[in-house]
Amino acid sequence: MSSSAKSLTEGPLAKQILLVSLPLALSNLLQVLFNMSDVAVVGRFAGSTALGSVGSTSIFVTLFTGFLIGLSNGINVLVARFYGARHADDVEKTVHSALLVSLAAGVLLLLIGLLGSPALLHLLNTKEDLYPGAVLYLRVYFLGMPALALYNYGNAIFSAIGETKKPLYYLCIAGVLNILLNLFFVIVCHLDVAGVALASAISQCVSAFLVLRALTRVQDCYALNFHKVALDPATTQRILALGLPAGFQNAVFAIANLFIQAGVNSFDSLMVKGNSAAANADNLIYDCMAAFYMACASFMSQNYGAGKPDRVKKSYFIALGYSFGVGLLLGGSLFVFGREFLALFTTEPAVIDAGMKRVGVMGLAYCISAFMDCTIAASRGLGKTVVPTVIVILGSCVFRVIWVYTIFAHFHTIPSLYLLYPCSWMLTALAEIAWFGPKGWGCRASAGYAGRRYVEPMPLRRTDRIAGQGGITREFFDAFTRQERLPDAFTLDAALFKSFRFERSRLTASLMLRNLTGEADTVYGGYESLRVRRIRPGDDTLYAPHASRCTYAWPRSFYLTISYRF
């Protein structure tokens, strides 16, 4: 074990985290800029149809690359933990098992891209004129998926031990090559969509070759030796247990964003164009913040393995402060200079005005996502993946879909759509912090839906004396015997609680918020009135029912309860 292991387990944390994160941030920024160059070249030199074909595949490229990035997070955490604990044998097993896992994932995505591209594009109702080019682009682009998986594998290992400069250098080389090949294939060879995809696949192969070559030349326990490549069952299980939940989470994010895009598409074309222009800021800001998340996971995992709990906790708070500050700085700059930023993508004032509606909401909201994402990275750094993934899927994916079909469907305004981002971030962050934070704290949220309910019947109405009177009309008969249906009801409750343990006893204080939506007309239940009224005195007395009695939800209410268990 070389002395470089001390870089993450000893020394000033604030300086170390910053130095490790900056190359990661630059790598992420370069990746975004190189991807934007693909779109720029095909749009500038191949025409709008080719541009639309490439753009229509972006959701699937994001989905599958996000899965590979999530899988590499599991590799990063395991290598960092074993490296910090000085378990050289475990580091070696992880490095060589992870190579085969990553390669298998890349080959699987390659087959999906080659065989399933038509079906995937049909799911999005891709325009007929864009469909042939989109299928061709996906099939050629996915040829580089195994290489992309191997690059993420190497990047995860280097990041785990604090070496983030080498992946940055290799990405620069591959990115410059990507731009040159884009220009050559599109302008000289007139390959259009296929040329851009082929340039991306070749550059991914180059970056994978460089990072694997660097791993084979390392003089440490994380060195790659192709003669030792083999699947260790226990290590492989650990990699999959950490990486698969993260990968599926990233994939589900992409799927949830489809519903948001559908909401944007419900507006006019100006709003769609403005949203597309403003959305270019998302990857720039997210990826800069994501560098600190990866550093957080690496530092926490190494120090956790080294048995240094104080540095584990400090790593989380320092990385959280950095990521929040970066999000606030970049988002605030976008809020102030939003028109200048949008002018880079369009010259139409109406489109810029439409884009500013998104910038006005998102500019100061990016920093909120730091609380969610940094806490997720911290929990993974400690080897906890299943519960955080479930929380994220519910809070930031399922919640967004529900928002689109409820709140946005009701108001149908751009702010009501974009506000789902900060709201989902805050909700997920609170749940993550409550679960990941100090023990004894917890939160609980419950949602209920009730449909096809009826009032409780009163048997007296259905006796011969009341409902079976001679000469009674059908209208009166139905009034007594028909069982009234209650309106459908939706309820949302939340609670925050803290438990204190005293040997075998436990004291729990709970603050509950009932009827979170504050709906005053929510019907909890109902019953038919026990009384009837006579409407015609005499021998032929007729009766009419009183209206059913319903119980309604209390307005938004707070309850504080304290319980003690012996």
Side-chain angles (χ1 to χ4, degrees), residues 478-507:
D478 290 342
F480 278 101
T481 59
R482 184 179 66 251
Q483 195 172 359
E484 181 182 351
R485 178 176 174 176
L486 295 173
D488 295 349
F490 173 78
T491 60
L492 184 62
D493 303 329
L496 178 68
F497 56 88
K498 169 66 176 176
S499 296
F500 304 90
R501 292 187 177 274
F502 306 97
E503 295 182 353
R504 296 184 179 181
S505 303
R506 184 171 63 182
L507 176 68

PDB file of all heavy atoms in Angstrom, residues 478-507:
ATOM      1  N   ASP A 478     -86.955   5.253  -5.056  1.00  0.00           N
ATOM      2  CA  ASP A 478     -85.504   5.351  -5.269  1.00  0.00           C
ATOM      3  C   ASP A 478     -84.844   6.231  -4.227  1.00  0.00           C
ATOM      4  O   ASP A 478     -83.703   5.999  -3.819  1.00  0.00           O
ATOM      5  CB  ASP A 478     -85.212   5.886  -6.667  1.00  0.00           C
ATOM      6  CG  ASP A 478     -85.562   4.888  -7.760  1.00  0.00           C
ATOM      7  OD1 ASP A 478     -85.688   3.690  -7.425  1.00  0.00           O
ATOM      8  OD2 ASP A 478     -85.721   5.311  -8.919  1.00  0.00           O
ATOM      9  N   ALA A 479     -85.566   7.285  -3.787  1.00  0.00           N
ATOM     10  CA  ALA A 479     -84.994   8.188  -2.795  1.00  0.00           C
ATOM     11  C   ALA A 479     -84.696   7.471  -1.490  1.00  0.00           C
ATOM     12  O   ALA A 479     -83.743   7.810  -0.777  1.00  0.00           O
ATOM     13  CB  ALA A 479     -85.937   9.365  -2.556  1.00  0.00           C
ATOM     14  N   PHE A 480     -85.522   6.470  -1.142  1.00  0.00           N
ATOM     15  CA  PHE A 480     -85.326   5.754   0.108  1.00  0.00           C
ATOM     16  C   PHE A 480     -84.352   4.585  -0.025  1.00  0.00           C
ATOM     17  O   PHE A 480     -83.649   4.245   0.916  1.00  0.00           O
ATOM     18  CB  PHE A 480     -86.678   5.226   0.627  1.00  0.00           C
ATOM     19  CG  PHE A 480     -87.459   6.273   1.374  1.00  0.00           C
ATOM     20  CD1 PHE A 480     -88.495   6.936   0.765  1.00  0.00           C
ATOM     21  CD2 PHE A 480     -87.134   6.585   2.682  1.00  0.00           C
ATOM     22  CE1 PHE A 480     -89.204   7.897   1.453  1.00  0.00           C
ATOM     23  CE2 PHE A 480     -87.839   7.545   3.368  1.00  0.00           C
ATOM     24  CZ  PHE A 480     -88.892   8.218   2.762  1.00  0.00           C
ATOM     25  N   THR A 481     -84.318   3.956  -1.161  1.00  0.00           N
ATOM     26  CA  THR A 481     -83.539   2.712  -1.285  1.00  0.00           C
ATOM     27  C   THR A 481     -82.184   2.901  -1.949  1.00  0.00           C
ATOM     28  O   THR A 481     -81.321   2.023  -1.847  1.00  0.00           O
ATOM     29  CB  THR A 481     -84.339   1.678  -2.091  1.00  0.00           C
ATOM     30  OG1 THR A 481     -84.643   2.215  -3.387  1.00  0.00           O
ATOM     31  CG2 THR A 481     -85.635   1.333  -1.380  1.00  0.00           C
ATOM     32  N   ARG A 482     -82.011   3.970  -2.672  1.00  0.00           N
ATOM     33  CA  ARG A 482     -80.721   4.174  -3.343  1.00  0.00           C
ATOM     34  C   ARG A 482     -79.656   4.537  -2.311  1.00  0.00           C
ATOM     35  O   ARG A 482     -79.856   5.423  -1.472  1.00  0.00           O
ATOM     36  CB  ARG A 482     -80.823   5.277  -4.391  1.00  0.00           C
ATOM     37  CG  ARG A 482     -79.516   5.463  -5.185  1.00  0.00           C
ATOM     38  CD  ARG A 482     -79.634   6.548  -6.237  1.00  0.00           C
ATOM     39  NE  ARG A 482     -79.815   7.860  -5.612  1.00  0.00           N
ATOM     40  CZ  ARG A 482     -80.948   8.545  -5.642  1.00  0.00           C
ATOM     41  NH1 ARG A 482     -82.013   8.045  -6.253  1.00  0.00           N
ATOM     42  NH2 ARG A 482     -81.051   9.727  -5.051  1.00  0.00           N
ATOM     43  N   GLN A 483     -78.514   3.882  -2.398  1.00  0.00           N
ATOM     44  CA  GLN A 483     -77.403   4.153  -1.477  1.00  0.00           C
ATOM     45  C   GLN A 483     -76.497   5.198  -2.110  1.00  0.00           C
ATOM     46  O   GLN A 483     -75.940   4.998  -3.184  1.00  0.00           O
ATOM     47  CB  GLN A 483     -76.624   2.872  -1.185  1.00  0.00           C
ATOM     48  CG  GLN A 483     -75.694   2.975   0.009  1.00  0.00           C
ATOM     49  CD  GLN A 483     -75.081   1.642   0.375  1.00  0.00           C
ATOM     50  OE1 GLN A 483     -75.381   0.631  -0.264  1.00  0.00           O
ATOM     51  NE2 GLN A 483     -74.244   1.620   1.386  1.00  0.00           N
ATOM     52  N   GLU A 484     -76.333   6.308  -1.442  1.00  0.00           N
ATOM     53  CA  GLU A 484     -75.589   7.444  -1.997  1.00  0.00           C
ATOM     54  C   GLU A 484     -74.081   7.138  -2.019  1.00  0.00           C
ATOM     55  O   GLU A 484     -73.529   6.600  -1.052  1.00  0.00           O
ATOM     56  CB  GLU A 484     -75.851   8.692  -1.160  1.00  0.00           C
ATOM     57  CG  GLU A 484     -75.147   9.943  -1.672  1.00  0.00           C
ATOM     58  CD  GLU A 484     -75.400  11.136  -0.773  1.00  0.00           C
ATOM     59  OE1 GLU A 484     -76.256  11.035   0.135  1.00  0.00           O
ATOM     60  OE2 GLU A 484     -74.731  12.160  -0.969  1.00  0.00           O
ATOM     61  N   ARG A 485     -73.450   7.517  -3.114  1.00  0.00           N
ATOM     62  CA  ARG A 485     -71.997   7.307  -3.228  1.00  0.00           C
ATOM     63  C   ARG A 485     -71.263   8.547  -2.733  1.00  0.00           C
ATOM     64  O   ARG A 485     -71.631   9.687  -3.048  1.00  0.00           O
ATOM     65  CB  ARG A 485     -71.615   7.021  -4.676  1.00  0.00           C
ATOM     66  CG  ARG A 485     -70.108   6.835  -4.879  1.00  0.00           C
ATOM     67  CD  ARG A 485     -69.758   6.450  -6.295  1.00  0.00           C
ATOM     68  NE  ARG A 485     -68.313   6.411  -6.483  1.00  0.00           N
ATOM     69  CZ  ARG A 485     -67.713   6.022  -7.605  1.00  0.00           C
ATOM     70  NH1 ARG A 485     -68.443   5.624  -8.630  1.00  0.00           N
ATOM     71  NH2 ARG A 485     -66.389   6.014  -7.683  1.00  0.00           N
ATOM     72  N   LEU A 486     -70.205   8.328  -1.963  1.00  0.00           N
ATOM     73  CA  LEU A 486     -69.397   9.425  -1.449  1.00  0.00           C
ATOM     74  C   LEU A 486     -68.364   9.846  -2.498  1.00  0.00           C
ATOM     75  O   LEU A 486     -67.890   9.021  -3.287  1.00  0.00           O
ATOM     76  CB  LEU A 486     -68.665   8.997  -0.174  1.00  0.00           C
ATOM     77  CG  LEU A 486     -69.553   8.669   1.029  1.00  0.00           C
ATOM     78  CD1 LEU A 486     -68.698   8.105   2.161  1.00  0.00           C
ATOM     79  CD2 LEU A 486     -70.303   9.905   1.501  1.00  0.00           C
ATOM     80  N   PRO A 487     -67.996  11.117  -2.505  1.00  0.00           N
ATOM     81  CA  PRO A 487     -66.957  11.553  -3.452  1.00  0.00           C
ATOM     82  C   PRO A 487     -65.608  10.935  -3.103  1.00  0.00           C
ATOM     83  O   PRO A 487     -65.326  10.642  -1.934  1.00  0.00           O
ATOM     84  CB  PRO A 487     -66.939  13.085  -3.271  1.00  0.00           C
ATOM     85  CG  PRO A 487     -67.511  13.321  -1.913  1.00  0.00           C
ATOM     86  CD  PRO A 487     -68.513  12.236  -1.696  1.00  0.00           C
ATOM     87  N   ASP A 488     -64.781  10.729  -4.125  1.00  0.00           N
ATOM     88  CA  ASP A 488     -63.445  10.188  -3.893  1.00  0.00           C
ATOM     89  C   ASP A 488     -62.640  11.148  -3.025  1.00  0.00           C
ATOM     90  O   ASP A 488     -62.831  12.370  -3.064  1.00  0.00           O
ATOM     91  CB  ASP A 488     -62.719   9.957  -5.216  1.00  0.00           C
ATOM     92  CG  ASP A 488     -63.412   8.891  -6.053  1.00  0.00           C
ATOM     93  OD1 ASP A 488     -64.307   8.215  -5.523  1.00  0.00           O
ATOM     94  OD2 ASP A 488     -63.052   8.757  -7.232  1.00  0.00           O
ATOM     95  N   ALA A 489     -61.734  10.588  -2.235  1.00  0.00           N
ATOM     96  CA  ALA A 489     -60.962  11.405  -1.289  1.00  0.00           C
ATOM     97  C   ALA A 489     -59.479  11.056  -1.389  1.00  0.00           C
ATOM     98  O   ALA A 489     -59.112   9.906  -1.602  1.00  0.00           O
ATOM     99  CB  ALA A 489     -61.459  11.181   0.133  1.00  0.00           C
ATOM    100  N   PHE A 490     -58.657  12.086  -1.232  1.00  0.00           N
ATOM    101  CA  PHE A 490     -57.198  11.926  -1.215  1.00  0.00           C
ATOM    102  C   PHE A 490     -56.665  12.624   0.025  1.00  0.00           C
ATOM    103  O   PHE A 490     -57.005  13.782   0.298  1.00  0.00           O
ATOM    104  CB  PHE A 490     -56.561  12.522  -2.463  1.00  0.00           C
ATOM    105  CG  PHE A 490     -55.057  12.534  -2.428  1.00  0.00           C
ATOM    106  CD1 PHE A 490     -54.343  11.378  -2.680  1.00  0.00           C
ATOM    107  CD2 PHE A 490     -54.363  13.687  -2.110  1.00  0.00           C
ATOM    108  CE1 PHE A 490     -52.958  11.373  -2.628  1.00  0.00           C
ATOM    109  CE2 PHE A 490     -52.985  13.695  -2.058  1.00  0.00           C
ATOM    110  CZ  PHE A 490     -52.284  12.535  -2.321  1.00  0.00           C
ATOM    111  N   THR A 491     -55.872  11.934   0.814  1.00  0.00           N
ATOM    112  CA  THR A 491     -55.312  12.513   2.033  1.00  0.00           C
ATOM    113  C   THR A 491     -53.794  12.377   2.022  1.00  0.00           C
ATOM    114  O   THR A 491     -53.241  11.424   1.453  1.00  0.00           O
ATOM    115  CB  THR A 491     -55.868  11.807   3.286  1.00  0.00           C
ATOM    116  OG1 THR A 491     -55.532  10.413   3.234  1.00  0.00           O
ATOM    117  CG2 THR A 491     -57.376  11.956   3.364  1.00  0.00           C
ATOM    118  N   LEU A 492     -53.134  13.334   2.666  1.00  0.00           N
ATOM    119  CA  LEU A 492     -51.677  13.334   2.755  1.00  0.00           C
ATOM    120  C   LEU A 492     -51.298  13.806   4.154  1.00  0.00           C
ATOM    121  O   LEU A 492     -51.648  14.915   4.558  1.00  0.00           O
ATOM    122  CB  LEU A 492     -51.061  14.251   1.700  1.00  0.00           C
ATOM    123  CG  LEU A 492     -49.534  14.280   1.616  1.00  0.00           C
ATOM    124  CD1 LEU A 492     -48.992  12.905   1.255  1.00  0.00           C
ATOM    125  CD2 LEU A 492     -49.072  15.310   0.591  1.00  0.00           C
ATOM    126  N   ASP A 493     -50.604  12.954   4.903  1.00  0.00           N
ATOM    127  CA  ASP A 493     -50.177  13.265   6.268  1.00  0.00           C
ATOM    128  C   ASP A 493     -48.669  13.112   6.366  1.00  0.00           C
ATOM    129  O   ASP A 493     -48.050  12.360   5.602  1.00  0.00           O
ATOM    130  CB  ASP A 493     -50.848  12.337   7.284  1.00  0.00           C
ATOM    131  CG  ASP A 493     -52.366  12.382   7.201  1.00  0.00           C
ATOM    132  OD1 ASP A 493     -52.902  13.451   6.851  1.00  0.00           O
ATOM    133  OD2 ASP A 493     -52.995  11.347   7.471  1.00  0.00           O
ATOM    134  N   ALA A 494     -48.063  13.816   7.314  1.00  0.00           N
ATOM    135  CA  ALA A 494     -46.623  13.722   7.536  1.00  0.00           C
ATOM    136  C   ALA A 494     -46.349  13.816   9.031  1.00  0.00           C
ATOM    137  O   ALA A 494     -47.126  14.424   9.782  1.00  0.00           O
ATOM    138  CB  ALA A 494     -45.882  14.824   6.793  1.00  0.00           C
ATOM    139  N   ALA A 495     -45.255  13.216   9.455  1.00  0.00           N
ATOM    140  CA  ALA A 495     -44.900  13.222  10.874  1.00  0.00           C
ATOM    141  C   ALA A 495     -43.391  13.215  11.026  1.00  0.00           C
ATOM    142  O   ALA A 495     -42.668  12.631  10.220  1.00  0.00           O
ATOM    143  CB  ALA A 495     -45.504  12.021  11.596  1.00  0.00           C
ATOM    144  N   LEU A 496     -42.916  13.893  12.065  1.00  0.00           N
ATOM    145  CA  LEU A 496     -41.510  13.908  12.435  1.00  0.00           C
ATOM    146  C   LEU A 496     -41.415  13.455  13.887  1.00  0.00           C
ATOM    147  O   LEU A 496     -42.160  13.957  14.738  1.00  0.00           O
ATOM    148  CB  LEU A 496     -40.923  15.308  12.279  1.00  0.00           C
ATOM    149  CG  LEU A 496     -39.444  15.492  12.670  1.00  0.00           C
ATOM    150  CD1 LEU A 496     -38.549  14.746  11.694  1.00  0.00           C
ATOM    151  CD2 LEU A 496     -39.079  16.976  12.699  1.00  0.00           C
ATOM    152  N   PHE A 497     -40.528  12.499  14.172  1.00  0.00           N
ATOM    153  CA  PHE A 497     -40.465  11.985  15.524  1.00  0.00           C
ATOM    154  C   PHE A 497     -39.016  11.783  15.969  1.00  0.00           C
ATOM    155  O   PHE A 497     -38.107  11.642  15.146  1.00  0.00           O
ATOM    156  CB  PHE A 497     -41.240  10.669  15.657  1.00  0.00           C
ATOM    157  CG  PHE A 497     -40.805   9.600  14.702  1.00  0.00           C
ATOM    158  CD1 PHE A 497     -39.782   8.723  15.018  1.00  0.00           C
ATOM    159  CD2 PHE A 497     -41.428   9.459  13.468  1.00  0.00           C
ATOM    160  CE1 PHE A 497     -39.375   7.742  14.135  1.00  0.00           C
ATOM    161  CE2 PHE A 497     -41.037   8.476  12.576  1.00  0.00           C
ATOM    162  CZ  PHE A 497     -40.007   7.611  12.914  1.00  0.00           C
ATOM    163  N   LYS A 498     -38.838  11.795  17.281  1.00  0.00           N
ATOM    164  CA  LYS A 498     -37.524  11.598  17.885  1.00  0.00           C
ATOM    165  C   LYS A 498     -37.677  10.631  19.044  1.00  0.00           C
ATOM    166  O   LYS A 498     -38.554  10.804  19.905  1.00  0.00           O
ATOM    167  CB  LYS A 498     -36.965  12.936  18.383  1.00  0.00           C
ATOM    168  CG  LYS A 498     -35.733  12.840  19.273  1.00  0.00           C
ATOM    169  CD  LYS A 498     -34.520  12.308  18.535  1.00  0.00           C
ATOM    170  CE  LYS A 498     -33.277  12.334  19.448  1.00  0.00           C
ATOM    171  NZ  LYS A 498     -32.091  11.745  18.800  1.00  0.00           N
ATOM    172  N   SER A 499     -36.828   9.617  19.089  1.00  0.00           N
ATOM    173  CA  SER A 499     -36.888   8.608  20.139  1.00  0.00           C
ATOM    174  C   SER A 499     -35.662   8.709  21.042  1.00  0.00           C
ATOM    175  O   SER A 499     -34.544   8.952  20.563  1.00  0.00           O
ATOM    176  CB  SER A 499     -36.960   7.198  19.540  1.00  0.00           C
ATOM    177  OG  SER A 499     -38.149   7.027  18.796  1.00  0.00           O
ATOM    178  N   PHE A 500     -35.876   8.525  22.335  1.00  0.00           N
ATOM    179  CA  PHE A 500     -34.808   8.519  23.329  1.00  0.00           C
ATOM    180  C   PHE A 500     -34.865   7.173  24.059  1.00  0.00           C
ATOM    181  O   PHE A 500     -35.913   6.789  24.578  1.00  0.00           O
ATOM    182  CB  PHE A 500     -34.984   9.653  24.346  1.00  0.00           C
ATOM    183  CG  PHE A 500     -35.064  11.016  23.722  1.00  0.00           C
ATOM    184  CD1 PHE A 500     -36.295  11.543  23.337  1.00  0.00           C
ATOM    185  CD2 PHE A 500     -33.922  11.766  23.510  1.00  0.00           C
ATOM    186  CE1 PHE A 500     -36.381  12.800  22.774  1.00  0.00           C
ATOM    187  CE2 PHE A 500     -34.000  13.023  22.940  1.00  0.00           C
ATOM    188  CZ  PHE A 500     -35.228  13.537  22.562  1.00  0.00           C
ATOM    189  N   ARG A 501     -33.736   6.477  24.096  1.00  0.00           N
ATOM    190  CA  ARG A 501     -33.692   5.165  24.736  1.00  0.00           C
ATOM    191  C   ARG A 501     -33.067   5.275  26.130  1.00  0.00           C
ATOM    192  O   ARG A 501     -32.058   5.951  26.319  1.00  0.00           O
ATOM    193  CB  ARG A 501     -32.885   4.175  23.881  1.00  0.00           C
ATOM    194  CG  ARG A 501     -33.564   3.819  22.568  1.00  0.00           C
ATOM    195  CD  ARG A 501     -32.816   2.708  21.844  1.00  0.00           C
ATOM    196  NE  ARG A 501     -33.492   2.306  20.632  1.00  0.00           N
ATOM    197  CZ  ARG A 501     -34.466   1.394  20.586  1.00  0.00           C
ATOM    198  NH1 ARG A 501     -34.847   0.801  21.714  1.00  0.00           N
ATOM    199  NH2 ARG A 501     -35.045   1.081  19.445  1.00  0.00           N
ATOM    200  N   PHE A 502     -33.691   4.589  27.067  1.00  0.00           N
ATOM    201  CA  PHE A 502     -33.195   4.513  28.437  1.00  0.00           C
ATOM    202  C   PHE A 502     -33.165   3.029  28.818  1.00  0.00           C
ATOM    203  O   PHE A 502     -34.176   2.474  29.262  1.00  0.00           O
ATOM    204  CB  PHE A 502     -34.099   5.291  29.397  1.00  0.00           C
ATOM    205  CG  PHE A 502     -34.337   6.714  28.988  1.00  0.00           C
ATOM    206  CD1 PHE A 502     -35.491   7.059  28.300  1.00  0.00           C
ATOM    207  CD2 PHE A 502     -33.406   7.706  29.264  1.00  0.00           C
ATOM    208  CE1 PHE A 502     -35.730   8.365  27.925  1.00  0.00           C
ATOM    209  CE2 PHE A 502     -33.632   9.009  28.890  1.00  0.00           C
ATOM    210  CZ  PHE A 502     -34.791   9.343  28.218  1.00  0.00           C
ATOM    211  N   GLU A 503     -32.020   2.399  28.579  1.00  0.00           N
ATOM    212  CA  GLU A 503     -31.875   0.959  28.799  1.00  0.00           C
ATOM    213  C   GLU A 503     -32.982   0.219  28.028  1.00  0.00           C
ATOM    214  O   GLU A 503     -32.980   0.206  26.813  1.00  0.00           O
ATOM    215  CB  GLU A 503     -31.901   0.644  30.296  1.00  0.00           C
ATOM    216  CG  GLU A 503     -30.705   1.244  31.035  1.00  0.00           C
ATOM    217  CD  GLU A 503     -30.701   0.904  32.503  1.00  0.00           C
ATOM    218  OE1 GLU A 503     -31.692   0.307  32.985  1.00  0.00           O
ATOM    219  OE2 GLU A 503     -29.708   1.220  33.177  1.00  0.00           O
ATOM    220  N   ARG A 504     -33.986  -0.348  28.729  1.00  0.00           N
ATOM    221  CA  ARG A 504     -35.020  -1.095  28.026  1.00  0.00           C
ATOM    222  C   ARG A 504     -36.257  -0.259  27.730  1.00  0.00           C
ATOM    223  O   ARG A 504     -37.222  -0.768  27.147  1.00  0.00           O
ATOM    224  CB  ARG A 504     -35.420  -2.317  28.854  1.00  0.00           C
ATOM    225  CG  ARG A 504     -34.292  -3.321  29.043  1.00  0.00           C
ATOM    226  CD  ARG A 504     -34.805  -4.541  29.799  1.00  0.00           C
ATOM    227  NE  ARG A 504     -33.734  -5.528  29.965  1.00  0.00           N
ATOM    228  CZ  ARG A 504     -33.900  -6.699  30.569  1.00  0.00           C
ATOM    229  NH1 ARG A 504     -35.093  -7.016  31.069  1.00  0.00           N
ATOM    230  NH2 ARG A 504     -32.887  -7.532  30.681  1.00  0.00           N
ATOM    231  N   SER A 505     -36.274   0.976  28.134  1.00  0.00           N
ATOM    232  CA  SER A 505     -37.431   1.859  27.914  1.00  0.00           C
ATOM    233  C   SER A 505     -37.140   2.804  26.759  1.00  0.00           C
ATOM    234  O   SER A 505     -35.981   3.015  26.369  1.00  0.00           O
ATOM    235  CB  SER A 505     -37.743   2.643  29.186  1.00  0.00           C
ATOM    236  OG  SER A 505     -37.979   1.771  30.266  1.00  0.00           O
ATOM    237  N   ARG A 506     -38.210   3.405  26.240  1.00  0.00           N
ATOM    238  CA  ARG A 506     -38.052   4.339  25.125  1.00  0.00           C
ATOM    239  C   ARG A 506     -39.104   5.440  25.220  1.00  0.00           C
ATOM    240  O   ARG A 506     -40.305   5.157  25.377  1.00  0.00           O
ATOM    241  CB  ARG A 506     -38.178   3.613  23.791  1.00  0.00           C
ATOM    242  CG  ARG A 506     -37.932   4.528  22.580  1.00  0.00           C
ATOM    243  CD  ARG A 506     -37.846   3.728  21.295  1.00  0.00           C
ATOM    244  NE  ARG A 506     -39.098   3.051  21.001  1.00  0.00           N
ATOM    245  CZ  ARG A 506     -39.275   2.252  19.948  1.00  0.00           C
ATOM    246  NH1 ARG A 506     -38.250   2.000  19.145  1.00  0.00           N
ATOM    247  NH2 ARG A 506     -40.446   1.674  19.730  1.00  0.00           N
ATOM    248  N   LEU A 507     -38.664   6.668  25.095  1.00  0.00           N
ATOM    249  CA  LEU A 507     -39.546   7.831  25.077  1.00  0.00           C
ATOM    250  C   LEU A 507     -39.560   8.388  23.658  1.00  0.00           C
ATOM    251  O   LEU A 507     -38.495   8.631  23.069  1.00  0.00           O
ATOM    252  CB  LEU A 507     -39.044   8.901  26.049  1.00  0.00           C
ATOM    253  CG  LEU A 507     -39.811  10.223  26.076  1.00  0.00           C
ATOM    254  CD1 LEU A 507     -41.203  10.012  26.651  1.00  0.00           C
ATOM    255  CD2 LEU A 507     -39.046  11.269  26.883  1.00  0.00           C
TER     256      LEU A 507
END
